[in-house]
Amino acid sequence: MDSGAAKGLAFGGVIAVRLLPALVLGPLAGVMADRWDRRYTMVVCDLLRFVLFASIPTVVLFSDDPVVGVGWAAIATFLIESITLIWLPAKEAAVPNLIPRARLEASNQLTLVTTYGITPVLAALLLAGLNQLNASLSDVGVQWAAWATPSSLALYFNALSRLATALVVFFGIREISGHNGKNHKSDSMIRQFVDGWRFVGKTPLVRGLVFGILGAFAAGGVVIGTANFFAGELNGGDSTFAILFATIFVGLGLGIALGPRMIGALSRRRWFGLSIILAAGSVALLALATHLSVAVACTLLVGVGAGMAFLSGTTLLGGEVEDDVRGRVFAVVQTGTRVILMLAISLSGLLVGVGGSRAVAGTGLSISSTRVLLGVAGVLGVAAGLWAFRQMDDKPGVPVFADLFSSMRGRPLGIPEPVTGGVFIVFEGGEGAGKSTQIQHLAAVLTAQGREVIVTREPGATEVGSRIRRMVLETNTGQSGPALAPRAEALLYAADRAHHVSTVVRPALLRGAIVISDRYVDSSLAYQGAGRSLAVDEVQWLSAWATGGLKPHLVVLLDIDPSVGLARAQLRGSPDRLERESIDFHERVRQGFLDLALAEPNRYLVLDATKDEKELAEAISDRVGAILPPLPEPKPANRRVREAAMS
């Protein structure tokens, strides 16, 4: 066996032995968490770990044969890992019952950051400090006591921490006792085991979570398993390997610590799937890296994605899974991640050690098995992330990246409420554009065709809307400036729109009517957004929330020069508050309308409002006719009626 294969086999073998207990006790750990009292389970497990950790340096100290000490250390480590597999599902299943659901993510975040970030770093610093102190004392002739070597002190400290945890849980957190109140002892452990796996398989959310978490850890395992060989690909040595190895855990900690703040109000189900895709996609990019800086950046993103996936997945499992099966589900995750890590690290290390590099005939290029494996793992991981995303997506129909960017600003997109049957047509334009006249023409044409037509307006189509209309449009004589602050004005329009859509527009659309509205969302975007200089995206989000995402099928924009339109409006009588605004305000409103039409040309019909009235009406009728459903066929007369008439 060549040195590469031996190196890969040795590295993979060490990891395999470290994770082997998952195969022994993992499948039953969840059953124990759901079957036994969780508080006593945690206490007994911690007491056993206290004894085992303390026994390792003690056996080494009193044993004359070093082989006995090393052998017992291996056995004790195996037992500690096995006991931990029983302790973890009991703890994870109990935590959601102690913490309000709104605080569960923060609790998991603190736990995971401590476990994977702060504790390893502090342990490494403490051990390094003790070793340095030992070396300094040796230089002056002072020797440590045999029982107080740095490694022994670390193990004793670990043992005492387990004892402290057991005492705190037993005496201080009595609420952990019990599980869900059901008598699990009536079922056999085998039956409970089968039921737990069946629940995972038949529940889309849990299935997506488990599969996604395993996919993220598989991608991370491949990176860890190939890091030593990939360092050679970058013309580096052990230091390069150490950098890559450390970077993935730095990324893991960053993803856990900063992930919730980065994504803001994004749905946690969506966040989970996107995190898997980020981690796996970064693995695929890592396969193409030829410089250490690029490799470090990709490795960091792998860790960030895996950390965010682990945090969001753990939180969703704790919050969404019923207490009855929570222990078994967490056991599946804990066991699965260990087994996947074992396989990914061991097999990837072995495969790249055996594979080496192969020259491509006639090209002068060589393909490394390390890069091939990373690329394949990345592609498969992205596929797993997409599958998990589709299984769990709780906002179907909402654009993912638009939702992500809006959520990062604290304004997640809502789920559009379904509308079937009807057609929604909106007329927009500046003051004096002639919307009312053209609405009457269109309504008359459609009514003559035998269609149900609902003509409405904003604001003021309802009793509530009439009150709001008086508030926002009444003339503010005797004062300068607008009667309302711009934000208050936008909120009032949104309130009218929410009530209008809920009580008038949506019910009519659901029964198949044609709704024609004089003004809708675009008026807020043009008047409050462009006219009042409010942030258009904020006004748009507010209107989308108020309407449940309802969009018109067609917007007829009657474009007119503000000076011409205002002159027309003055002929109707005394101007309202908006008509009294400056010409610059109305110029901004006009440009706001035109910008909206330019952004979505397929949904707009833009017409010059100064053209002949009949010409405009014909153009509007032609465009509306193209989007209307066909009229229903007249029902045939009853046969007996026809026969009676013939006789």
Side-chain angles (χ1 to χ4, degrees):
M1 182 180 294
D2 60 30
S3 60
K7 192 175 184 181
L9 183 61
F11 183 68
V14 171
I15 298 296
V17 171
R18 181 72 172 80
L19 299 173
L20 187 60
L23 293 175
V24 178
L25 275 180
L28 296 177
V31 177
M32 298 174 185
D34 286 335
R35 188 181 183 90
W36 297 344
D37 186 291
R38 289 168 183 163
R39 175 163 159 257
Y40 292 140
T41 299
M42 293 174 62
V43 169
V44 170
C45 287
D46 274 325
L47 290 176
L48 290 174
R49 291 193 294 177
F50 158 70
V51 172
L52 289 169
F53 272 120
S55 70
I56 296 174
T58 303
V59 170
V60 171
L61 176 64
F62 290 101
S63 175
D64 295 330
D65 188 351
V67 176
V68 174
V70 173
W72 174 246
I75 294 172
T77 300
F78 178 86
L79 293 174
I80 289 170
E81 284 297 312
S82 300
I83 294 169
T84 301
L85 282 173
I86 300 174
W87 181 86
L88 276 173
K91 188 267 291 186
E92 297 290 357
V95 167
N97 296 333
L98 301 174
I99 299 174
R101 185 170 177 177
R103 299 289 183 181
L104 187 57
E105 182 176 86
S107 171
N108 289 333
Q109 190 178 20
L110 179 61
T111 300
L112 294 175
V113 166
T114 302
T115 302
Y116 294 102
I118 298 175
T119 300
V121 172
L122 291 179
L125 292 175
L126 178 61
L127 188 59
L130 289 174
N131 285 327
Q132 182 63 39
L133 178 61
N134 184 27
S136 300
L137 292 175
S138 297
D139 291 339
V140 296
V142 178
Q143 297 293 327
W144 287 88
W147 60 270
T149 61
S151 58
S152 297
L153 289 176
L155 287 169
Y156 284 131
F157 178 81
N158 214 358
L160 291 175
S161 68
R162 298 303 185 273
L163 177 61
T165 302
L167 294 175
V168 169
V169 170
F170 185 77
F171 291 105
I173 317 180
R174 299 180 184 275
E175 295 84 357
I176 294 179
S177 283
H179 24 73
N180 65 330
K182 295 184 179 180
N183 184 12
H184 292 283
K185 296 182 179 180
S186 59
D187 294 331
S188 67
M189 294 188 70
I190 296 177
R191 175 64 181 274
Q192 283 186 262
F193 172 76
V194 173
D195 287 346
W197 279 91
R198 186 177 297 157
F199 174 80
V200 172
K202 71 180 182 180
T203 309
L205 169 66
V206 179
R207 187 169 61 232
L209 281 169
V210 172
F211 192 72
I213 290 175
L214 297 185
F217 272 80
V222 170
V223 174
I224 295 172
T226 60
N228 211 349
F229 302 92
F230 192 68
E233 297 274 341
L234 299 174
N235 298 317
D238 292 339
S239 60
T240 302
F241 165 72
I243 291 173
L244 294 177
F245 191 85
T247 298
I248 195 169
F249 286 98
V250 170
L252 192 73
L254 289 176
I256 294 170
L258 303 180
R261 179 171 297 181
M262 288 190 295
I263 56 95
L266 183 69
S267 159
R268 270 29 185 177
R269 294 191 182 198
R270 289 193 146 194
W271 179 34
F272 176 79
L274 292 176
S275 300
I276 302 293
I277 295 171
L278 172 63
S282 301
V283 172
L285 292 176
L286 182 63
L288 305 175
T290 58
H291 193 275
L292 178 59
S293 59
V294 178
V296 167
C298 293
T299 304
L300 184 70
L301 289 177
V302 173
V304 169
M308 292 194 300
F310 199 34
L311 173 60
S312 57
T314 302
T315 302
L316 284 170
L317 285 174
E320 302 284 349
V321 177
E322 293 294 331
D323 187 69
D324 186 25
V325 294
R326 191 182 296 143
R328 280 164 284 178
V329 172
F330 271 110
V332 170
V333 173
Q334 299 290 347
T335 302
T337 53
R338 281 167 165 75
V339 173
I340 286 293
L341 273 175
M342 178 183 70
L343 293 176
I345 295 174
S346 302
L347 292 180
S348 60
L350 178 60
L351 289 175
V352 298
V354 173
S357 298
R358 298 290 184 268
V360 180
T363 64
L365 301 175
S366 62
I367 297 179
S368 162
S369 59
T370 303
R371 296 184 183 276
V372 171
L373 185 60
L374 286 171
V376 171
V379 171
L380 293 179
V382 169
L386 290 171
W387 183 86
F389 186 90
R390 289 171 181 167
Q391 290 281 307
M392 302 167 54
D393 189 12
D394 55 352
K395 301 174 73 173
V398 178
V400 177
F401 291 107
D403 188 29
L404 173 61
F405 296 142
S406 296
S407 298
M408 291 172 69
R409 294 174 293 181
R411 300 189 298 273
L413 300 181
I415 303 175
E417 299 180 23
V419 173
T420 58
V423 176
F424 189 21
I425 302 167
V426 171
F427 280 74
E428 297 282 12
E431 307 301 327
K435 299 187 306 299
S436 300
T437 301
Q438 293 302 325
I439 288 173
Q440 291 174 4
H441 280 303
L442 180 60
V445 170
L446 297 178
T447 302
Q449 295 176 0
R451 300 179 186 273
E452 181 186 0
V453 180
I454 303 296
V455 176
T456 186
R457 68 174 182 174
E458 288 190 0
T462 64
E463 182 180 350
V464 172
S466 296
R467 299 176 187 173
I468 294 176
R469 185 180 182 88
R470 289 194 296 270
M471 294 175 65
V472 296
L473 294 181
E474 64 185 3
T475 302
N476 189 34
T477 57
Q479 299 181 22
S480 60
L484 292 171
R487 293 181 184 274
E489 184 180 81
L491 289 169
L492 284 172
Y493 276 115
D496 168 77
R497 185 164 297 127
H499 188 64
H500 179 222
V501 168
S502 176
T503 59
V504 177
V505 178
R506 197 176 294 278
L509 293 174
L510 289 173
R511 66 174 183 264
I514 299 173
V515 179
I516 305 175
S517 180
D518 184 348
R519 298 202 183 281
Y520 189 55
V521 171
D522 288 0
S523 283
S524 287
L525 301 179
Y527 279 87
Q528 281 72 56
R532 302 292 188 205
S533 299
L534 296 178
V536 174
D537 60 337
E538 293 182 356
V539 178
Q540 189 170 34
W541 178 85
L542 177 63
S543 295
W545 178 81
T547 63
L550 178 64
K551 288 187 175 183
H553 297 86
L554 175 66
V555 178
V556 179
L557 174 58
L558 298 177
D559 179 46
I560 192 169
D561 184 276
S563 59
V564 176
L566 290 172
R568 286 184 179 182
Q570 289 178 359
L571 299 177
R572 299 196 304 255
S574 60
D576 61 30
R577 190 172 62 88
L578 290 180
E579 292 170 350
R580 293 167 62 91
E581 290 289 346
S582 68
I583 192 68
D584 290 338
F585 172 86
H586 290 285
E587 288 285 1
R588 293 195 300 272
V589 170
R590 182 192 186 190
Q591 191 58 52
F593 277 126
L594 293 175
D595 289 343
L596 292 170
L598 185 63
E600 291 187 87
N602 294 330
R603 204 163 56 88
Y604 280 78
L605 173 62
V606 182
L607 298 172
D608 183 353
T610 61
K611 288 186 177 181
D612 180 71
E613 181 180 312
K614 291 184 178 180
E615 182 180 350
L616 290 173
E618 290 177 0
I620 294 170
S621 296
D622 291 342
R623 179 63 181 274
V624 170
I627 66 172
L628 292 180
L631 289 167
E633 293 288 338
K635 295 182 179 180
N638 186 279
R639 180 180 298 273
R640 292 182 180 178
V641 174
R642 293 202 306 267
E643 291 177 351
M646 291 176 62
S647 63

